[in-house]
Amino acid sequence: MSEIVLMSDPKVAAIPVAECGERLVDVRRGGSLLIDSRKQDPADAYAYLREGVVERLMKAQELLPQGLRLLFVEGYRPPSLQRAYFEEYAGQLQAIHADWSAEQIHSAASRYVSPPGIAPHSAGAAVDLTLADAEGRELNLGTRMNADPEESEGACYTHAANISMEARANRKLLGSVLTAAGLVNYPTEWWHWSFGDRYWALITGETTALYGPKEMTSPA
């Protein structure tokens, strides 16, 4: 397995953002994607993504075999909510590893929740998703979505060895269509894919990110 670049790596934060100003759009419009409401928030922010990301998801879905669909779970996440998620998980790690330094906690937390300042979800650039059949039933991808590394014994890592052949094949399929559409995966979370953010820029060799953190004031 190649070395994983974590969100906390200074190389990610060092990528400048050339904000393109693209709008956030509601992925529920048009009915092209299956939408799961498990991450629904009071403002319905979860159902929004940058327009360019939605276009790429549509392309990825077209590449799937007949009878399979993408199942969208979460997109945009307000910076305040991202901060709350990060601090909550960091607190859990601190309770487990009382001898760890603040830097160790920050790095370990970033395996599962992105640091607020560079989080792809808060830029409307990232999506958490999985595969489903024509009836909307989730396929086996090895762990539940949002399983953390402790709970899953590392099986949440995209290329984990401790998953079944069926789950590995499904992850490979999901990855193939999303990669073909231009998205990149965060390799500690098989379900997390993004386009246009700092992490995407670093992985693809782009000099700047297209999308930076955004407050959802009046989405289209």
Side-chain angles (χ1 to χ4, degrees), residues 206-218:
E206 295 291 334
T207 56
T208 58
L210 304 174
Y211 312 131
K214 186 177 181 66
E215 293 290 349
M216 193 179 78
T217 51
S218 54

Side-chain angles (χ1 to χ4, degrees), residues 6-205:
L6 294 176
M7 287 285 181
S8 59
D9 194 303
K11 294 193 296 286
V12 180
I15 298 288
V17 176
E19 174 59 58
C20 67
E22 198 172 278
R23 63 181 182 160
L24 290 165
V25 295
D26 191 335
V27 300
R28 295 169 294 190
R29 292 185 179 178
S32 298
L33 288 175
L34 287 174
I35 310 297
D36 186 289
S37 62
R38 77 186 76 169
K39 295 293 286 185
Q40 187 172 12
D41 59 288
D44 261 3
Y46 85 105
Y48 286 83
L49 282 173
R50 297 284 189 139
E51 199 165 24
V53 183
V54 177
E55 291 170 357
R56 283 163 177 79
L57 290 182
M58 295 297 99
K59 178 182 177 182
Q61 181 155 271
E62 291 172 359
L63 297 173
L64 285 172
Q66 187 173 4
L68 295 182
R69 296 182 68 183
L70 296 177
L71 177 62
F72 173 98
V73 175
E74 186 179 18
Y76 175 71
R77 190 181 294 158
S80 58
L81 184 58
Q82 182 71 31
R83 190 173 303 107
Y85 282 169
F86 187 83
E87 291 174 354
E88 179 184 13
Y89 184 51
Q92 292 172 7
L93 290 174
Q94 185 68 72
I96 298 170
H97 305 285
D99 58 329
W100 282 11
S101 67
E103 183 178 354
Q104 286 175 302
I105 293 294
H106 186 84
S107 178
S110 76
R111 297 170 306 162
Y112 181 57
V113 186
S114 299
I118 54 93
H121 278 290
S122 294
V127 56
D128 293 342
L129 78 175
T130 187
L131 291 171
D133 63 19
E135 283 71 48
R137 294 185 295 253
E138 288 184 50
L139 272 59
N140 174 18
L141 276 91
T143 73
R144 71 175 185 89
M145 184 176 289
N146 294 313
D148 63 43
E150 290 74 31
E151 169 194 334
S152 68
E153 298 183 335
C156 59
Y157 281 49
T158 305
H159 299 292
N162 56 335
I163 59 174
S164 68
M165 290 182 64
E166 177 188 14
R168 190 171 294 114
N170 287 335
R171 288 188 188 187
K172 184 176 180 180
L173 174 60
L174 179 66
S176 67
V177 299
L178 291 168
T179 299
L183 285 83
V184 301
N185 173 242
Y186 189 43
T188 62
E189 301 177 338
W190 60 260
W191 56 85
H192 177 108
W193 292 79
S194 69
F195 169 83
D197 60 291
R198 283 179 163 123
Y199 196 82
W200 164 87
L202 179 67
I203 298 304
T204 59

